[in-house]
Amino acid sequence: MTDARLAALAARLPNLRLLTDPADLEHYGRDWTRRWTPAPLAIALPGDVAEVQDIVRWANEQGVAVVPSGGRTGLSGGAVAAHGELVLSLERMNRVLDFDAVDRTLTVQAGMSLHAVHEAAKEHGLIYPVDFAARGSCSIGGNIATNAGGIRVIRYGNTREWIAGLTVVAGNGKLLQLNRGLIKNSSGYDLRQLMIGSEGTLGIVVEATVRLTDPPPSSQVMLLALPNMDALMEVFALFRSRLTLQAFEFFTDVALRHVLAHGAQRAIDGEHPYYVVTEFDADESSQDAALAAFEYGVDHGWISDGVIAQSEAQAAALWRLREGITESLAPHRPYKNDISLRISALPVFLHEIQTLLGQAYPHFDVVWFGHIGDGNLHINVLRPENLSDSDFIAQCEHVTKLLADTLQRHGGSISAEHGIGLVKRAYLGSTRSEAEIALMRGVKQVFDPKGLLNPGKLFI
Ligand code: 2HG
Ligand code: ZN
């Protein structure tokens, strides 16, 4: 251990697992953005809460910055360590701690994957309903850090709605038990909610008590092909009024091309500019209601074609067309936007933004998809082969500034569910007022006076 600071950490915590191999530094120092060169000091893999506290105390003494780290599936650079930080990975803290049948809560360590949380809930005949494609690799702690949303928000809301309590190591190493599983708690500031979405800048979530609920009734999955963008919101309003939706997701023909090239199966023939995958509760009347809605949509020129899954395998194949998009684009290292608006603001915004992006990126592959039923769009821009990384990012940043201005005019957000991280901190002012950002900085100062927790993320 040549670094004196690391030697001090090893001496303080002789059983702490510490990694300094170049391959480990690279692996744990980056997330799915792949934009920054990882350069952490070392990786610490604590096995319990006491070790996390000791690491944070050591960081304070030595003035070392700490990057809390979950599954690093983030898309905004929130878990990147590129400046000699200590990465504090929670991956060894991945156990269920408690299930309470009366409260219907599950208490887990923060390093547990979302998929493992789903499975643990299932063992008790219940569900943890937040869900998205990265479920196998992302951690519940990371989900909390970004207030992750996903494909069922339309039905169940964001992560925020499902967190009954948090155990957090604050910037000074002290342990906080926030909300302790209470349903009602009118006793002042809700620090639990402040932690959710704070991107590791206020404290390190080490344990979470999540609420569980009954599984939904069985469902049906439908894929629809749409002739134009205006039809998207019409079909959403139509299906929402006639069915109990569990999901309503869209993607374009460009997204379809990539996902098909990546091994997914085509489900609707012909060329269509827009597609919707929707899932809704199946009861005696839903089949007829879905068919009637479909016919109404066709009659009004909003729907060109559609297919309803006849088996679980077919439903999974339809979902793959939507859920496989991010992975199919990953080799192109896309520039990602993750924006949201009130649903009522979407129709006008979509037109403005389509014109803006058409002019700004006339020769780029621009891939639109997302959770249209929540007002959340993912716009991925792919780098043309003849453009260098830096020129590509510079062009995209310029367009993001215009996008942010448009969002600001419509009262939207520059990050719906991926977080601000490093990628979007220059645009935070499009979503939060100066007064709000000043208060956010003040909060950071209170929780983390030395600025050691995930510095550089969220704020410039
Ligand atoms: C999704 O909705 C994820 O699939 C990823 O939030 C979005 O890759 C993206 O831009
Ligand atoms: Zn998403």
Side-chain angles (χ1 to χ4, degrees), residues 75 132 149-151 249 322 326 338 369-371 376-378 417-418:
L75 300 167
F132 42 90
I151 55 177
E249 302 273 314
R322 163 64 185 90
T326 297
D338 156 44
F369 59 103
H371 321 282
N376 178 187
L377 309 175
H378 296 307
E417 57 174 1
H418 295 168

Side-chain angles (χ1 to χ4, degrees), residues 105-332:
T105 54
L106 190 71
T107 299
V108 299
Q109 292 181 308
M112 215 166 152
S113 74
L114 176 61
H115 176 70
V117 173
H118 288 163
E119 291 299 303
K122 217 192 271 175
E123 277 178 30
H124 300 286
L126 296 167
I127 63 158
Y128 173 69
V130 178
D131 192 19
F132 42 90
R135 60 184 76 80
S137 359
C138 67
S139 74
I140 190 77
N143 297 176
I144 291 165
T146 54
N147 184 27
I151 55 177
R152 312 262 167 206
V153 170
I154 196 172
R155 175 70 160 263
Y156 295 106
N158 299 287
T159 299
R160 190 178 290 295
E161 269 83 30
W162 295 92
I163 304 301
L166 288 179
T167 304
V168 172
V169 174
N172 56 6
K174 291 222 165 100
L175 202 61
L176 306 172
Q177 304 281 359
L178 305 178
N179 197 59
R180 303 185 313 276
L182 297 170
I183 294 170
K184 300 186 83 169
N185 183 6
S186 179
S187 60
Y189 308 138
D190 191 340
L191 302 182
R192 159 198 55 161
Q193 290 297 351
L194 192 54
M195 281 298 156
I196 301 170
S198 65
E199 304 190 27
T201 63
L202 299 182
I204 299 170
V205 173
V206 285
E207 293 170 10
T209 298
V210 302
R211 287 192 204 294
L212 307 180
T213 189
D214 291 315
S218 61
S219 58
Q220 288 191 300
V221 179
M222 205 167 178
L223 176 71
L224 304 167
L226 276 49
N228 53 52
M229 203 168 59
D230 288 336
L232 269 178
M233 299 321 290
E234 302 288 2
V235 174
F236 173 56
L238 173 66
F239 273 61
R240 187 168 62 167
S241 69
R242 301 204 182 183
L243 296 157
T244 308
L245 298 181
Q246 293 187 21
F248 193 91
E249 302 273 314
F250 94 108
F251 53 93
T252 60
D253 51 349
V254 187
L256 180 69
R257 180 157 46 78
H258 284 280
V259 90
L260 291 178
H262 212 72
Q265 293 298 314
R266 181 182 281 282
I268 290 180
D269 289 333
E271 300 287 316
H272 308 277
Y274 294 90
Y275 294 87
V276 163
V277 174
T278 181
E279 185 161 345
F280 46 87
D281 289 0
D283 53 36
E284 322 78 63
S285 61
S286 65
Q287 182 95 11
D288 290 348
L291 229 63
F294 177 79
E295 276 162 17
Y296 188 92
V298 172
D299 289 348
H300 283 74
W302 302 329
I303 299 178
S304 323
D305 205 347
V307 39
I308 190 155
Q310 301 299 335
S311 65
E312 273 190 28
Q314 213 183 345
L318 295 186
W319 263 116
R320 187 170 173 202
L321 296 170
R322 163 64 185 90
E323 289 209 296
I325 297 172
T326 297
E327 207 181 314
S328 75
L329 301 179
H332 303 277

